[in-house]
């Protein structure tokens, strides 16, 4: 989270705390059940919520892709550093799907001389 985003979030939280304190003081001082909260307290609370939300959104991490194909493309382009399945792919006798597809395609085309990997 950047410094500006944290500053915006803290400012919004201070405003929200002030609105809550003002609402509490208003209810303590005016015990009449018909007395509603003043508009300035309601507006301050709503504005502070918008400010806090803005600060949190600005400071959030980059969103991850929704579809698996985009995620897999990113992982492959970055190399083995971020691949969570790297241990599985490197283990002994792991079945290489891409190589098997290529072997099958060569076999279907009638290319019998294609190298057979096991």
């Amino acid at each position: 989270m950047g410094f500006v985003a944290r500053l915006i979030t803290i400012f919004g939280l201070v405003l929200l705390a002030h609105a809550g304190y003002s609402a509490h003081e208003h209810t303590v001082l005016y015990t009449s059940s018909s007395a509603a909260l003043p508009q300035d307290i309601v507006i301050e609370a709503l504005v502070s919520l918008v400010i806090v939300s803005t600060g949190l959104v600005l400071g959030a991490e980059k969103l991850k892709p929704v579809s698996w194909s985009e995620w897999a493309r990113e992982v492959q382009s970055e190399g083995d550093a971020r691949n969570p399945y790297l241990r599985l792919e490197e283990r002994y006798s792991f079945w290489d799907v891409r190589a098997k597809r290529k072997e099958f395609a060569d076999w279907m085309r009638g290319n019998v001389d294609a190298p057979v990997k096991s």
Side-chain angles (χ1 to χ4, degrees):
M1 185 185 281
F3 177 73
V4 175
R6 286 184 184 174
L7 195 63
I8 291 172
T9 305
I10 290 171
F11 177 70
L13 288 174
V14 169
L15 279 179
L16 186 62
H18 183 264
Y21 178 75
S22 297
H24 172 70
E25 285 295 314
H26 178 73
T27 56
V28 168
L29 293 176
Y30 301 102
T31 56
S32 164
S33 62
S34 63
L37 282 177
Q39 291 287 15
D40 61 336
I41 295 175
V42 174
I43 291 171
E44 182 182 8
L46 293 175
V47 168
S48 66
L49 285 174
V50 168
I51 292 173
V52 168
S53 299
T54 303
L56 291 175
V57 167
L58 289 176
E61 293 180 14
K62 180 186 169 200
L63 295 177
K64 295 179 179 156
V66 176
S67 70
W68 282 100
S69 61
E70 290 178 27
W71 176 80
R73 189 176 316 117
E74 277 186 17
V75 168
Q76 284 183 346
S77 68
E78 292 177 4
D80 294 336
R82 246 186 76 206
N83 189 354
Y85 303 111
L86 186 61
R87 275 190 73 153
L88 293 174
E89 292 173 357
E90 289 179 346
R91 79 178 177 208
Y92 178 71
S93 72
F94 186 76
W95 194 55
D96 189 6
V97 175
R98 291 183 182 134
K100 295 295 180 185
R101 284 182 183 167
K102 185 180 180 317
E103 287 177 28
F104 180 73
D106 290 342
W107 178 77
M108 286 297 290
R109 280 189 224 113
N111 188 359
V112 184
D113 297 333
V116 178
K117 296 179 185 177
S118 29

